[in-house]
Amino acid sequence: MGESVLYRNRQRTRLTVAVPLYYGWMVVVGAILWVSGNDFSESVRILTVLLFPVVVVTLFFFGYRSLLVSVTSTYVELSYFFGWPRKRIDRADIVSVDVFRIPWWYGLGIRATPKGWMWSIWGRDTVLLTRANGKGFLIGTDDPDGLGVVLSGP
């Protein structure tokens, strides 16, 4: 039987960001079809060329629309919508936990920052984990105080 989960939070992207990103592709495809006129074979060729990037962007959009943070007594686990990518950090390896508001230029997503690696999908609120090796790890969350309290506990 699995370990009991002490904390679980799924943060989702804001709809105001997601809708223009997703539907922007439809506008681009529509504009290209309009420019190509009534030439059906040209429209099919353009659609075929655009199909791959549209599918990739759609999968990317849905795959990174939410970040699940789970905490047990032995580990912290982060995973995106499809369960991949996934990151597990042993709690025994964490020496300090701080609620941290990142500067806007740190950006979003999985990336290296001056404070260490960061996993985030929205906003500037994070929890900074300092590991035994001195490296930091930032977890983006819409509940920084709740996550910070759980991770600071035993």
Side-chain angles (χ1 to χ4, degrees):
M1 192 159 168
E3 248 184 291
S4 65
V5 175
L6 304 173
Y7 176 89
R8 178 170 286 180
N9 182 42
R10 182 177 298 274
Q11 182 184 8
R12 291 175 171 78
T13 55
R14 304 261 192 228
L15 193 58
T16 55
V17 171
V19 169
L21 174 69
Y22 185 69
Y23 288 107
W25 279 100
M26 292 184 184
V27 170
V28 169
V29 169
I32 290 173
L33 291 176
W34 181 70
V35 167
S36 69
N38 293 329
D39 185 359
F40 181 74
S41 62
E42 182 68 13
S43 296
V44 169
R45 185 181 69 77
I46 291 170
L47 279 176
T48 303
V49 169
L50 286 177
L51 184 62
F52 179 74
V54 168
V55 168
V56 168
V57 167
T58 301
L59 287 174
F60 181 81
F61 167 74
F62 282 108
Y64 289 89
R65 72 180 180 166
S66 71
L67 176 63
L68 177 65
V69 179
S70 301
V71 179
T72 70
S73 59
T74 58
Y75 63 84
V76 178
E77 186 173 77
L78 299 95
S79 64
Y80 282 90
F81 184 73
F82 293 125
W84 185 89
R86 178 180 305 265
K87 174 78 173 171
R88 187 176 277 196
I89 301 169
D90 290 329
R91 287 189 67 185
D93 191 35
I94 300 170
V95 294
S96 72
V97 176
D98 298 299
V99 173
F100 183 73
R101 188 161 174 88
I102 61 171
W104 64 268
W105 51 270
Y106 275 28
L108 301 171
I110 299 173
R111 62 184 61 236
T113 71
K115 295 284 185 183
W117 280 96
M118 177 180 75
W119 284 37
S120 177
I121 62 163
W122 180 256
R124 295 175 49 204
D125 294 326
T126 64
V127 173
L128 173 61
L129 309 178
T130 304
R131 301 168 85 172
N133 62 8
K135 294 182 180 179
F137 190 90
L138 292 160
I139 301 172
T141 180
D142 56 357
D143 180 25
D145 295 324
L147 179 58
V149 166
V150 170
L151 289 173
S152 296

